[in-house]
Amino acid sequence: MANVINKIREELFRWQDEKYRDFQVKLIPTVNPESVIGVRTPELRNLAKQLVRAGKDAYAGFLLELPHAYFDENQLHAFLIAEEKDYEACLAEVERFLPYVDNWATCDQLSPKVFKKHHQELLAPIWKWIASGDVYTIRFGVGMLMEHFLDADFKPAFLDQVAAIRSEEYYVRMMVAWYFATALAKQYDAALPFLEQGRLDDWTHQKTIQKAVESYRITPEQKTYLKTLRHKMTVKAKRETGAGNACEEGRRTEIRLSADEPALPT
């Protein structure tokens, strides 16, 4: 196992970009800067695919070695899980990995391809993740609901489930806002009443409107109306609503969930 881990780590350091690392650490404040190697996302994805092609013996030991020492190892771990083709095996790996996810970038990169073919089985884990009480597990659950259940398999009741989430954690609240902003783009008539009726907490309400107004998928007429739903806020509240954007809004379109989001640079 140690040999497998060392080989993978050597490969990660071979692709180290120190300037990229220095920029990257500014976007992930919950991560120890010393744990960031600075490997760009395309290289991580390519490495994951190479390891999968080489067979599980090339990376199985790496997946078992948790927690990882480096942020980039967590990113690679997420990409390896995404390549798993067996739904049950993939779900088991996700469950084992989630307790070690400690930042928004790794959380949002974790997007298993096989989930697309197993929507009905996926709902039960999603509700469990959302009820977990863990910041990044909740965020992941809402993210999966957003990615897989705002199109053909959408049900209005899903909006109620997400609206019921109450948390003071920035990375949970931001994901809830992101979910509703995306819902406005895809299921406008179903999502709009949640703003009209004030069913979200004030911070999330404001952030949802902000993100929706920034979206190219919302029509100009819709944006004009959404702006009328903004709450009057104190100067302090405005600062709080805008806080943390540099941490998260470094997200790229390639990180999965929304084509409108800027990104962790590649």
Side-chain angles (χ1 to χ4, degrees):
M1 182 185 296
N3 190 42
V4 168
I5 295 167
N6 289 335
K7 282 184 178 179
I8 290 175
R9 190 168 291 168
E10 287 173 6
E11 187 68 11
L12 290 173
F13 272 96
R14 189 169 76 84
W15 289 104
Q16 182 180 47
D17 182 330
E18 294 185 355
K19 289 185 178 179
Y20 175 66
R21 178 197 63 196
D22 293 343
F23 178 73
Q24 192 177 33
V25 296
K26 299 174 184 178
L27 302 179
I28 44 175
T30 61
V31 173
N32 179 358
E34 297 300 319
S35 75
V36 180
I37 297 172
V39 183
R40 292 179 178 270
T41 299
E43 303 303 340
L44 288 168
R45 291 186 187 275
N46 288 337
L47 178 56
K49 291 177 181 178
Q50 290 171 18
L51 290 169
V52 170
R53 285 195 295 268
K56 288 198 173 181
D57 287 346
Y59 64 91
F62 172 78
L63 293 181
L64 292 173
E65 186 71 10
L66 289 169
H68 293 301
Y70 293 96
F71 163 77
D72 309 67
E73 291 177 341
N74 281 325
Q75 296 289 86
L76 177 62
H77 195 130
F79 291 136
L80 284 168
I81 291 175
E83 296 295 325
E84 175 58 61
K85 295 180 180 180
D86 180 88
Y87 172 75
E88 293 296 339
C90 182
L91 182 62
E93 287 297 333
V94 168
E95 296 275 21
R96 201 165 59 79
F97 184 50
L98 279 175
Y100 299 95
V101 174
D102 61 359
N103 67 89
W104 70 265
T106 302
C107 180
D108 294 357
Q109 293 277 27
L110 183 56
S111 180
K113 298 174 183 178
V114 73
F115 282 4
K116 295 177 182 178
K117 299 178 181 179
H118 294 270
H119 280 185
Q120 293 311 307
E121 302 100 306
L122 186 59
L123 277 173
I126 283 176
W127 303 137
K128 184 179 74 171
W129 295 328
I130 287 175
S132 69
D134 178 78
V135 172
Y136 296 105
T137 302
I138 297 171
R139 183 181 172 98
F140 178 73
V142 177
M144 288 297 96
L145 196 65
M146 178 168 67
E147 181 174 1
H148 296 286
F149 294 94
L150 279 177
D151 295 299
D153 291 328
F154 170 75
K155 293 182 180 179
F158 297 160
L159 296 168
D160 293 292
Q161 295 276 2
V162 179
I165 296 172
R166 288 294 180 268
S167 174
E168 293 302 313
E169 295 287 348
Y170 172 81
Y171 291 103
V172 172
R173 297 166 89 185
M174 179 59 81
M175 179 55 82
V176 173
W178 184 2
Y179 173 86
F180 271 97
T182 307
L184 285 166
K186 294 188 172 187
Q187 303 289 344
Y188 183 81
D189 291 339
L192 184 62
F194 287 81
L195 296 177
E196 293 176 323
Q197 299 167 15
R199 294 183 58 185
L200 306 178
D201 68 75
D202 195 65
W203 189 97
T204 306
H205 178 102
Q206 301 292 84
K207 183 60 70 173
T208 295
I209 294 173
Q210 176 190 324
K211 293 173 81 65
V213 168
E214 291 170 355
S215 171
Y216 71 86
R217 295 183 296 177
I218 303 291
T219 69
E221 294 76 18
Q222 290 170 338
K223 291 180 182 182
T224 297
Y225 180 62
L226 288 171
K227 289 177 183 178
T228 70
L229 300 178
R230 286 171 171 160
H231 295 164
K232 292 183 179 179
M233 302 179 70
T234 64
V235 172
K236 178 182 178 182
K238 287 180 180 178
R239 286 200 301 266
E240 290 174 348
T241 301
N245 286 353
C247 304
E248 173 158 7
E249 265 65 276
R251 216 184 114 347
R252 63 191 161 309
T253 54
E254 120 181 87
I255 280 187
R256 82 173 166 83
L257 295 176
S258 167
D260 296 324
E261 290 289 328
L264 195 67
T266 55

